[in-house]
Amino acid sequence: MNLVRPAFDKDESMVASGGADRTLTIWNLRSGEVKYKLPGHKGCVTQVDFHPKEPIVLSGSVDKAMIPFIEALEQRFRVVLASASPRRRELLDRLGISYEVIPSTFAEDLDKAKYAAASDYVLDTAVQKTTEVFHRLKGESSKPLFVIGADTIVVNSRGVILEKPTSRDDAAATLRGLSNAVNTVYTGVCVMIDTGSAQPHVVTAVEATGVEFGELDDAMVDAYVATGEPHDKAGSYAYQSLACFFVHRIRGDYYNVVGFPCARFFQMLRELHAEGVI
């Protein structure tokens, strides 16, 4: 990440783009005038509004030359993300991996009562989602499959598993239950790999992050629910967005709360590389 402070006119609409020479260029969207160049940066195209005297955060994806097994993974396998989550896609993009998005059709209807722990439930859901995509694609793939699946749940302070709300009233009730309490976000990750054997090579992990909410009064809850943001989020909130104003602190991986534990996943890749699987 780099912080730069170029001089732009107020509220200019700009575009930032990373070229093949790894130079990031920023130019005026309307006039085409080049405003700034930052050597040695591999960025993604994005439109932003720059304001004078404010730092601009530039971010991009990992250079594959820095992590050789990323390129080996792409060359050897057909990499598939078994999730439609835009947040997981955004985070996976940061590794610079080329992959396909093929969401699982698994019903996600496992009986929570049959699991001794929430971590077991979320991991089994991730495994089932990954398995469905793996077996659906195995017969049609010209390259060995490398399927990544994940599932995220929130568990409130009373141990109740909170998934995506079924209605606005459900979202509001969930949020009131999170007020002045610590909830735990669990993400189960499953990687299923075709190594040529009868059964796929499977590695799994579960990451847990504690999230402490401040007090939420009825007006705050109603206003947040009215934005529509909670409707497709486990636990009815998005910490990376408006719910950041409610959270006093977290303990653990921030990206796990967003929906994909990046550091844990990267460690899984490193271990697979060390074992010679990728």
Side-chain angles (χ1 to χ4, degrees), residues 101-180:
V101 176
I102 302 180
S104 173
T105 59
F106 176 66
E108 299 187 43
D109 56 358
L110 299 176
D111 184 356
K112 300 178 183 67
K114 293 182 178 180
Y115 294 87
S119 56
D120 297 333
Y121 167 75
V122 74
L123 181 57
D124 199 8
T125 302
V127 169
Q128 295 300 328
K129 291 163 73 173
T130 310
T131 300
E132 187 280 321
V133 172
F134 183 90
H135 287 297
R136 178 164 29 118
L137 299 181
K138 193 174 188 311
E140 65 180 51
S141 182
S142 59
K143 294 174 70 176
L145 287 166
F146 189 100
V147 182
I148 305 161
D151 188 60
T152 299
I153 59 172
V154 176
V155 179
N156 68 18
S157 58
R158 299 182 300 281
V160 177
I161 295 174
L162 308 172
E163 297 188 273
K164 297 175 184 178
T166 57
S167 65
R168 293 179 60 159
D169 288 343
D170 184 30
T174 295
L175 288 162
R176 291 186 180 96
L178 299 179
S179 178
N180 269 337

Side-chain angles (χ1 to χ4, degrees), residues 35-95:
K35 304 291 290 189
Y36 190 82
K37 285 197 174 185
L38 180 65
H41 183 90
K42 183 179 180 181
C44 304
V45 176
T46 181
Q47 181 173 334
V48 290
D49 288 323
F50 295 143
H51 302 279
K53 300 181 181 180
E54 291 185 1
I56 300 160
V57 180
L58 304 175
S59 63
S61 57
V62 168
D63 188 338
K64 294 174 189 175
M66 295 169 58
I67 309 175
F69 64 80
I70 295 294
E71 188 168 6
L73 173 63
E74 291 182 340
Q75 291 175 349
R76 183 175 175 186
F77 294 97
R78 178 186 178 187
V79 183
V80 176
L81 175 63
S83 172
S85 166
R87 295 165 293 281
R88 293 191 182 119
R89 292 177 63 178
E90 177 186 349
L91 295 174
L92 194 58
D93 283 345
R94 297 184 185 185
L95 270 180

Side-chain angles (χ1 to χ4, degrees), residues 261-275:
C262 298
R264 178 62 67 92
F265 177 68
F266 186 68
Q267 183 62 32
M268 293 167 74
L269 294 182
R270 291 183 65 186
E271 292 171 359
L272 287 168
H273 178 61
E275 296 167 3

Side-chain angles (χ1 to χ4, degrees), residues 153-228:
I153 59 172
V154 176
V155 179
N156 68 18
S157 58
R158 299 182 300 281
V160 177
I161 295 174
L162 308 172
E163 297 188 273
K164 297 175 184 178
T166 57
S167 65
R168 293 179 60 159
D169 288 343
D170 184 30
T174 295
L175 288 162
R176 291 186 180 96
L178 299 179
S179 178
N180 269 337
V182 176
N183 64 83
T184 305
V185 178
Y186 292 92
T187 299
V189 179
C190 176
V191 176
M192 195 164 290
I193 308 159
D194 182 4
T195 59
S197 301
Q199 298 298 322
H201 185 89
V202 180
V203 291
T204 61
V206 177
E207 189 75 18
T209 304
V211 182
E212 181 181 337
F213 268 57
E215 182 179 1
L216 301 179
D217 59 32
D218 287 344
M220 293 169 65
V221 168
D222 292 343
Y224 183 53
V225 171
T227 69

Side-chain angles (χ1 to χ4, degrees), residues 180-181 211-215 239 243-250:
N180 269 337
V211 182
E212 181 181 337
F213 268 57
E215 182 179 1
Y239 179 34
C244 68
F245 297 107
F246 310 148
V247 177
H248 282 188
R249 61 184 59 86
I250 69 170

